[in-house]
Amino acid sequence: MAVERAGAVAVGDELPPLRIPVTRTLIVAGAIASRDYQDVHHDPELARAKGSPDIFMNILTTNGLVGRYVTDHFGPLARLRSLAIRLGAPNRPGDTMTLTGTVVAVDGRTARVRVVGANALGRHVTGTVTVSLPEEERR
């Protein structure tokens, strides 16, 4: 049975929004770091030839940003247990993605967070992150 609270974390808690400028460098660096060499993530001309107005962020970069958002909120001792996302509107250079999150379940030292990342076109990412929470500090 899930509980409604674990220490200072409760169902319904909202994480503060995180605004991420979507730069060309972020898109290309994320693709390179994740070894995703698809031309639509680094070559504007080839991206246009394939029907996109510009390059766009790959799913692995988005995945990493969502994970960072949750662990930054809960602290360096929090551990990701699962992360499931679905992409929607593309993140393109010059846009800003704003991540928001809400705690939807707490069970012991584990919390499940619903995350949404939106940009000017709409929802870029929706998903759920399960995180193990650190033990509270002892005084």
Side-chain angles (χ1 to χ4, degrees):
M1 179 171 102
V3 296
E4 296 288 318
R5 178 174 291 284
V9 178
V11 170
D13 286 354
E14 293 187 9
L15 282 63
L18 175 64
R19 293 174 41 90
I20 300 170
V22 180
T23 65
R24 192 167 299 279
T25 300
L26 174 62
I27 293 170
V28 174
I32 291 169
S34 60
R35 297 182 178 183
D36 183 347
Y37 304 117
Q38 293 293 316
D39 50 25
V40 295
H41 302 308
H42 65 84
D43 188 318
E45 186 176 309
L46 291 174
R48 282 190 290 278
K50 292 184 176 179
S52 179
D54 204 341
I55 63 172
F56 54 91
M57 185 176 286
N58 73 351
I59 192 169
L60 295 172
T61 303
T62 300
N63 200 61
L65 292 170
V66 168
R68 167 198 156 198
Y69 173 59
V70 173
T71 57
D72 279 1
H73 176 75
F74 290 110
L77 298 178
R79 297 290 177 251
L80 292 177
R81 296 299 174 204
S82 69
L83 195 150
I85 63 171
R86 180 178 300 253
L87 293 183
N91 267 341
R92 295 190 187 121
D95 210 339
T96 298
M97 176 175 65
T98 302
L99 291 167
T100 57
T102 303
V103 176
V104 295
V106 178
D107 187 5
R109 300 300 313 155
T110 301
R112 192 167 62 245
V113 181
R114 176 82 173 146
V115 176
V116 173
N119 61 33
L121 296 174
R123 286 185 173 183
H124 168 69
V125 63
T126 56
T128 304
V129 178
T130 303
V131 61
S132 293
L133 306 171
E135 293 293 326
E136 294 182 51
E137 290 185 20
R138 308 263 187 243
R139 293 184 187 210

